[in-house]
């Protein structure tokens, strides 16, 4: 009986996502000036519907005292494609994504409508423009989500963090909110350059589809002399969390 109820709940979640997605696509066709205020709440609800349709148990762990800042630059490690919906399912953020995402079927149109910022990673001019766009967005009060590893690096941290998130935080005076992501079934979630649909199927059929998102104390840019010192401090924190949760 319990198995039947779970199956029914999963079918309803999939139907909810399937019928909700065309609404997002239709809204995304409207001029951005008309939808820029109303679209983000629909987008975050769509991300939550996507999470439910995949059958992922998304858990938020709060390790900080008090409340999060009203405006912040969220950073996270990036082991999977799942966090592209997992993070905005939990946080009201705008993301930075590689330029190719804008051309993806369905996901690209939704991302553009949600106000996602894009960067051509191989272009230094594009990276500079994206950094300035991040600074401007943070100064305007937007909450941002960035992956300072510079892309999916697998279930373990890459060799370094890039500076964009920390420059945006330092120049705008906006705190960094660090989130460490841990997937119980790491192999099923880990991005390894598969086709996106193949990876989503792996996640949806994972034997343990649980995602743990650990939120730690905000990092105040006023406590640092340079963005580089912020970046080095954050990377050391992530190395410690990796040892705590994954090793």
């Amino acid at each position: 009986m319990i198995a039947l109820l779970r199956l029914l709940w999963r079918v309803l979640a999939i139907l909810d996502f399937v019928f909700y997605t065309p609404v997002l696509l239709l809204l995304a066709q409207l001029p951005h000036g008309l939808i820029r205020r109303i679209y983000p709440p629909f987008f975050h609800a769509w991300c939550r519907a996507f999470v439910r349709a995949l059958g992922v148990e998304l858990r938020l762990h709060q390790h900080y005292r008090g409340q999060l800042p009203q405006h912040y630059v969220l950073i996270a490690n990036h082991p999977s494609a799942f966090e592209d919906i997992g993070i905005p399912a939990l946080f009201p953020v705008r993301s930075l994504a590689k330029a190719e995402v804008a051309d993806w079927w369905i996901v690209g149109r939704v991302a553009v409508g949600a106000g996602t910022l894009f960067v051509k990673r191989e272009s230094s001019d594009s990276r500079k423009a994206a950094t300035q766009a991040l600074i401007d967005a943070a100064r305007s009060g937007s909450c941002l989500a960035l992956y300072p590893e510079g892309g999916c690096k697998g279930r373990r941290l890459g060799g370094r963090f890039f500076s964009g998130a920390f420059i945006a935080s330092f120049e705008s005076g906006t705190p960094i909110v660090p989130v460490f992501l841990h997937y119980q079934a790491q192999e099923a979630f880990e991005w390894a350059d598969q086709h996106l649909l193949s990876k989503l199927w792996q996640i949806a059929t994972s034997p343990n589809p649980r995602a743990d998102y650990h939120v730690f104390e905000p990092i105040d840019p006023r406590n640092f002399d340079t963005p580089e010192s912020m970046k080095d401090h954050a990377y050391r924190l992530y190395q410690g969390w990796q040892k705590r949760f994954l090793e």
Side-chain angles (χ1 to χ4, degrees):
M1 183 64 178
I2 294 176
L4 181 61
L5 290 174
R6 287 177 177 171
L7 177 61
L8 178 60
W9 172 254
R10 185 71 176 277
V11 170
L12 290 174
I14 293 171
L15 290 175
D16 177 52
F17 173 70
V18 168
F19 287 111
Y20 191 18
T21 298
V23 176
L24 267 289
L25 291 174
L26 287 173
L27 284 175
Q29 306 308 310
L30 298 175
H32 185 68
L34 292 178
I35 64 170
R36 64 186 183 90
R37 292 188 181 276
I38 66 169
Y39 199 89
F42 285 98
F43 168 67
H44 297 301
W46 179 79
C47 289
R48 292 189 289 272
F50 204 160
V51 170
R52 290 192 297 269
L54 289 174
V56 175
E57 182 184 357
L58 181 55
R59 293 191 174 187
L60 179 68
H61 303 266
Q62 298 176 339
H63 299 275
Y64 54 87
R65 297 181 295 273
Q67 297 181 333
L68 288 181
Q70 185 176 4
H71 306 295
Y72 50 83
V73 176
L74 183 152
I75 62 170
N77 52 315
H78 200 9
S80 172
F82 177 80
E83 43 264 23
D84 291 335
I85 58 170
I87 289 291
L90 293 175
F91 301 94
V93 292
R94 296 174 63 190
S95 299
L96 177 71
K98 59 183 181 181
E100 294 87 343
V101 171
D103 297 324
W104 287 5
W105 183 62
I106 297 181
V107 174
R109 294 182 183 180
V110 171
V112 171
T116 300
L117 302 169
F118 297 100
V119 60
K120 295 181 180 178
R121 292 173 180 165
E122 69 282 0
S123 168
S124 61
D125 289 340
S126 179
R127 293 195 299 270
K128 290 177 183 177
T131 299
Q132 186 59 54
L134 290 170
I135 295 170
D136 295 341
R139 284 174 174 167
S140 72
S142 292
C143 292
L144 304 171
L146 301 164
Y147 304 102
E149 291 176 277
C152 286
K153 301 300 181 182
R155 67 187 77 173
R156 295 297 187 270
L157 293 172
R160 62 168 179 162
F161 279 172
F162 289 90
S163 300
F166 306 97
I167 294 173
S169 169
F170 191 84
E171 294 294 332
S172 66
T174 305
I176 292 277
V177 169
V179 181
F180 188 85
L181 314 180
H182 173 212
Y183 299 106
Q184 299 287 330
Q186 294 184 56
E187 184 176 353
F189 279 81
E190 182 181 24
W191 180 257
D193 292 328
Q194 304 100 316
H195 190 281
L196 180 60
L197 292 179
S198 174
K199 174 49 60 179
L200 292 176
W201 176 252
Q202 278 188 280
I203 292 172
T205 58
S206 167
N208 184 11
R210 174 172 159 179
D212 294 299
Y213 283 20
H214 299 270
V215 189
F216 291 92
E217 288 286 339
I219 301 171
D220 191 335
R222 294 175 296 181
N223 295 332
F224 299 87
D225 295 328
T226 65
E228 287 293 319
S229 60
M230 285 184 69
K231 180 183 71 173
D232 293 341
H233 172 73
Y235 190 76
R236 287 192 296 270
L237 289 175
Y238 274 82
Q239 287 178 310
W241 296 329
Q242 176 173 266
K243 185 173 182 179
R244 173 179 172 183
F245 294 112
L246 301 182
E247 298 177 359

